[in-house]
Amino acid sequence: MASAAAVSFHQTLPPPLQHRRLGPTPPRCTHSERGVSFDPGSAFYRSESAPGRDLAVLAATIHRRRRLDPSGPFLCLDAMCGCGIRALRYLAQAGADFVWANDASDALRPVVVGNLSRFEPEPLDGQRRWVVSHLDATRLLAERYLRREYFDVIDVDSFGSEAEYIRAAFLALKIGGLLYLTSTDWRSARGYGGKCSLSSYGAYVRPVPYPNEIGLRMLLGGAAREAAMLGFHITPVFSYYAYHGPIFRAMIQLRHGKEDGISNYGFICHCKSCGQTQTFGFHELGQISCRCADRTVGTDVRTWEFYFSSFPFLCING
């Protein structure tokens, strides 16, 4: 599953995506984010999410400079672009050579095309710097994999707990590339959506006093599980919690091969008696207890009951 060399998109795009550039007049600028002007149109846009986009642009910029082949084209894909502000900032600020902006709603096409046209109205030397499509995110990513079109950065700004795109995103990502994940599933993070989190991320979460951290670890654990099933492993770059929404974001890097052992993959337990939290590995299942438990005869077993959350605790070491 090693990544292939960059492809020439203007030659390999399927016929349905070879849209003729009509050179539309960009709509009137109504917003500006970090010096980038754009028009959100009817798309959902939150200025409070700008820090999350700042981190994405910063990580992409650093990755572009540190990748194994810095002279090759730097390719980004925004799978759920909305008005296109993320794609526009990857072009204008992260130094992307090509950005694929996709949104399932074709009603947003004039807005996205108009915003990207501000950066480059016409392609130079016949080489496209961006393309806009309107496909389901999972289908788009799967098609890119089948065509062996791999990207350095894939950004999926999803809503809720939908996670079926994660595996497809890994397949369309270059080895060593960055995947930016988003979840707004606050119910699961707070322990009120056990069945939902179990099906989406392989995690069964109980209520604990630190749901914001749990939401991030739940997202990272689901990605680690999907990567392992494909024969890869991941390295967390950063994780970010935003109070509005709330929103859980994580930037991860795809690595080749499975990790040795499962030392960073286990369970978190919270004692409702003393309030302490501990981590346990798979080999310790059946031996879980809290240090506050009095193991003498006659002790009430309820003093060491746990809120047991079945999901990876994934140690993050920078």
Side-chain angles (χ1 to χ4, degrees):
M1 294 212 176
S3 62
V7 296
S8 178
F9 285 94
H10 69 282
Q11 295 179 354
T12 59
L13 286 174
L17 297 182
Q18 290 180 343
H19 301 291
R20 186 163 58 94
R21 190 74 59 82
L22 299 178
T25 301
R28 180 174 58 89
C29 294
T30 60
H31 288 70
S32 178
E33 183 174 292
R34 307 297 191 252
V36 177
S37 299
F38 68 102
D39 178 21
S42 61
F44 178 79
Y45 169 75
R46 265 186 169 174
S47 58
E48 298 91 340
S49 297
R53 291 185 284 270
D54 295 342
L55 290 171
V57 171
L58 177 61
T61 302
I62 296 175
H63 177 60
R64 177 175 58 85
R65 298 172 181 174
R66 294 182 177 179
R67 57 199 170 118
L68 295 178
D69 183 16
S71 62
F74 190 65
L75 311 177
C76 300
L77 187 150
D78 188 356
M80 301 179 184
C81 69
C83 67
I85 179 59
R86 286 170 176 262
L88 184 58
R89 291 189 62 180
Y90 282 131
L91 282 171
Q93 298 176 326
D97 296 298
F98 177 86
V99 168
W100 192 308
N102 177 79
D103 194 273
S105 174
D106 55 5
L108 295 178
R109 182 172 184 80
V111 175
V112 181
V113 172
N115 286 328
L116 294 178
S117 295
R118 290 195 178 90
F119 179 78
E120 183 195 64
E122 297 294 337
L124 301 176
D125 302 325
Q127 296 292 331
R128 283 178 155 180
R129 293 291 304 279
W130 53 269
V131 69
V132 177
S133 63
H134 303 284
L135 299 172
D136 174 79
T138 302
R139 175 185 172 185
L140 171 69
L141 294 166
E143 287 183 354
R144 305 284 63 79
Y145 165 68
L146 293 174
R147 291 177 176 273
R148 298 189 177 185
E149 297 171 355
Y150 303 102
F151 292 80
D152 295 279
V153 176
I154 294 180
D155 189 325
V156 189
D157 187 18
S158 62
F159 179 81
S161 61
E162 300 301 324
E164 68 274 4
Y165 63 83
I166 295 180
R167 186 178 304 186
F170 279 139
L171 291 174
L173 189 65
K174 291 182 180 180
I175 303 298
L178 301 180
L179 175 60
Y180 200 22
L181 300 174
T182 302
S183 171
T184 60
D185 187 9
W186 62 269
R187 287 185 55 83
S188 293
R190 284 162 171 74
Y192 303 126
K195 293 182 179 179
C196 182
S197 62
L198 188 61
S199 61
S200 296
Y201 305 106
Y204 192 87
V205 183
R206 296 290 303 277
V208 292
Y210 38 88
N212 301 342
E213 178 184 343
I214 291 300
L216 294 171
R217 293 184 182 275
M218 178 181 69
L219 183 60
L220 287 167
R225 181 187 65 166
E226 293 292 339
M229 288 190 288
L230 295 173
F232 303 125
H233 69 277
I234 64 170
T235 299
V237 178
F238 68 81
S239 58
Y240 173 71
Y241 168 79
Y243 67 92
H244 67 279
I247 303 176
F248 307 92
R249 303 187 190 277
M251 180 74 80
I252 58 179
Q253 187 169 31
L254 184 65
R255 299 291 189 178
H256 186 68
K258 292 185 178 182
E259 282 187 307
D260 295 330
I262 54 174
S263 58
N264 65 338
Y265 196 85
F267 302 88
I268 293 178
C269 294
H270 176 75
C271 180
K272 69 178 184 180
S273 179
C274 69
Q276 295 297 313
T277 296
Q278 298 180 54
T279 60
F280 295 91
F282 283 88
H283 65 283
E284 296 175 294
L285 292 179
Q287 307 172 24
I288 296 177
S289 64
C290 183
R291 298 183 183 92
C292 74
D294 184 359
R295 295 177 177 80
T296 59
V297 178
T299 298
D300 189 348
V301 71
R302 289 178 297 177
T303 61
W304 52 282
E305 281 186 358
F306 279 85
Y307 285 127
F308 186 81
S309 298
S310 171
F311 62 95
F313 55 77
L314 267 173
C315 298
I316 303 176
N317 300 316

